[in-house]
DNA sequence: CGCCGTCTTGACGCGCCTTTGACACCCGGC
DNA sequence: GCCGGGTGTCAAAGGCGCGTCAAGACGGCG
């Protein structure tokens, strides 16, 4: 099931979109301004964002840039402005598509499907989403972690952190990058969050949490997941 | 340089597109019918396809399906038909974007850039910058150093220094430049720092630290990394 | 409205990294 | 042969980042 973030300050537009999307089995979050949009994008990690450019608190293009600083999630811009310049600016800022109001719901949904479809990973053989270590296994797609034959329960934040680390297996991930990918673009220095949650992951997944072998600290730089 | 395949049966449209695209340093191929389009797509492997739906020999949607059978290359549909049904059909067949004629060249080019951009390989993953010497290997992206089959742990300052030297491999780097790049612009004369940390790097990476072969001192000037 | 799980925040001790000073060494010039 | 600038080496001190714990704030759900 795909998650959509709808950003628009006109309630009736939001309502129409939410109804249509939910009817098609999307999970929907909604935001009425740019700040909320950025926060929700970070917190909920939608598969696609529908973004109205005319927001009360900030320029829509700034929202696009704010998102593009840390994510490649498809952004479908919705706007009443029809001029070519607006479109070019939004697209070059990182938007994936641009639909002018009034729009046909069928077309919007088709463009949404197209955006989601091409964002899906190219089905490459043998890049399994299941990662195994000698102590535990993680299935990113199924959102399941296993250890000693038992399921391990992880909170959303723990999952998110784990996911970023596992996707970069073997590579160092800087503290700043972790913070921005998990907590959102406005974070970057709150390294105490990382310490708390790395401890959680280690406690839940490492065989010997006080001597981690898979979640390695690189002092002063970041963390690394080693298979 | 990106390669574009333009598919349209109207010569003046093709001409306009080709001129504009070539002026922006794209390599351009052109096809006037669906069969030629499919052949050229296979032969030339364009980075993006601009496809008119109204072709003389076959339905545009069939061309899309024919392409999608074997490639995920971005397809930007160009069409005179404005109905919602047409758009939905084309998008669901696998098109990435749909622009109706008459179209603004600026907008089309922006949409083209967006299509090419998102098709680019996702960010960093697996683009490792590995430097090898006979004694050790350094992976700048993963922040990993290897020697005698074992990982070598480096502190942040050591990494930073190593990075500057490796990025300037073979070239002399002045003491002042090293100090300013690693310790900040307000440093420039604290050459004792360099001596301490160069010793660290040599001890951790050189086969014979007292006779360095890769981290060479140029007395009175600076240091040089030799592969 | 109250409960429960999750996230945030602060405090504390420890260990490692950085900084700093002292000293030996090499090499050219006097 | 002596001297001095630049360099390599070592070790101690200080500070900062990390792991850990726990309490409080927050938010979703019944």
């Amino acid at each position: 099931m795909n998650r959509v973030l709808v950003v628009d300050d006109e309630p009736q537009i939001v309502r129409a979109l939410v109804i249509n999307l939910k009817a098609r089995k999307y999970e929907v979050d909604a935001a009425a301004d740019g700040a909320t949009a950025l926060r929700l994008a970070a917190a909920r990690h939608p598969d696609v964002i529908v973004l109205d450019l005319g927001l009360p608190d900030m320029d829509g293009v700034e929202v696009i840039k704010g998102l593009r600083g840390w994510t490649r999630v498809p952004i479908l811009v919705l706007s009443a402005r029809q001029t070519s310049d607006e479109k070019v600016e939004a697209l070059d800022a990182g938007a994936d598509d641009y639909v002018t109001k009034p729009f046909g719901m069928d077309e919007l949904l088709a463009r949404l499907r197209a955006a989601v479809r091409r964002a899906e990973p190219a089905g490459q053989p043998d890049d399994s989403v299941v990662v195994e270590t000698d102590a535990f296994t993680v299935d990113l797609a199924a959102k399941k972690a296993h250890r000693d034959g038992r399921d391990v329960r992880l909170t959303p934040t723990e999952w998110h952190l784990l996911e970023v680390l596992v996707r970069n297996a073997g590579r160092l991930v800087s503290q700043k990058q972790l913070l921005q990918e998990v907590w959102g673009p406005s974070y970057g220095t709150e390294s105490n969050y990382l310490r708390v949650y790395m401890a959680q992951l280690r406690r839940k997944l490492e065989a010997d949490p006080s001597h981690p072998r898979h979640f390695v600290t690189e002092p002063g730089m970041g963390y690394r997941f080693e298979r």
Side-chain angles (χ1 to χ4, degrees), chain A:
Chain A
M1 201 41 43
N2 288 311
R3 190 193 307 277
V4 186
L5 171 60
V6 175
V7 188
D8 201 317
D9 63 332
E10 299 173 57
Q12 61 271 31
I13 301 252
V14 172
R15 190 154 10 97
L17 283 169
V18 169
I19 290 171
N20 272 284
L21 289 168
K22 285 196 171 164
R24 284 161 182 81
K25 306 296 181 197
Y26 289 91
E27 288 180 41
V28 188
D29 296 311
D33 57 71
T36 309
L38 289 172
R39 191 170 49 75
L40 279 180
R44 307 275 293 167
H45 281 264
D47 300 300
V48 56
I49 297 177
V50 179
L51 173 68
D52 180 16
L53 282 193
L55 296 175
D57 62 332
M58 53 194 291
D59 184 17
V61 173
E62 292 307 313
V63 178
I64 297 175
K65 290 179 181 169
L67 289 166
R68 280 291 173 261
W70 61 278
T71 176
R72 290 166 57 97
V73 59
I75 301 174
L76 201 157
V77 165
L78 209 55
S79 170
R81 308 174 209 169
Q82 304 223 9
T83 68
S84 184
D85 284 355
E86 299 269 358
K87 297 185 186 178
V88 171
E89 195 188 355
L91 289 167
D92 281 341
D96 288 82
D97 204 342
Y98 192 108
V99 178
T100 52
K101 298 182 186 177
F103 57 89
M105 185 59 73
D106 287 346
E107 177 184 344
L108 182 79
L109 290 170
R111 287 183 180 274
L112 205 99
R113 285 193 294 275
V116 172
R117 163 172 24 92
R118 71 183 158 235
E120 280 168 4
Q124 298 152 356
D126 86 44
D127 82 329
S128 159
V129 280
V130 181
V131 176
E132 293 195 48
T133 72
D134 51 6
F136 57 89
T137 69
V138 175
D139 186 336
L140 289 182
K143 285 266 189 296
K144 280 206 157 187
H146 242 253
R147 183 184 158 205
D148 300 335
R150 318 178 58 140
D151 279 357
V152 178
R153 259 188 53 76
L154 297 179
T155 71
T157 309
E158 287 162 8
W159 260 114
H160 206 159
L161 182 59
L162 176 62
E163 205 172 326
V164 176
L165 287 169
V166 168
R167 273 206 313 266
N168 293 283
R171 319 227 315 275
L172 173 75
V173 188
S174 74
Q175 306 194 3
K176 189 170 183 179
Q177 186 183 341
L178 284 170
L179 283 166
Q180 294 198 340
E181 289 216 32
V182 177
W183 277 269
S186 63
Y187 292 74
T189 57
E190 296 79 349
S191 60
N192 46 327
Y193 290 16
L194 290 179
R195 295 204 293 277
V196 171
Y197 276 90
M198 286 303 305
Q200 293 277 52
L201 283 183
R202 284 165 174 161
R203 181 139 29 91
K204 292 186 177 180
L205 295 177
E206 289 272 5
D208 180 0
S210 57
H211 298 95
R213 296 184 42 234
H214 302 101
F215 299 102
V216 186
T217 304
E218 300 283 357
M221 301 194 292
Y223 294 87
R224 181 201 310 277
F225 169 72
E226 291 278 14
R227 179 156 316 194

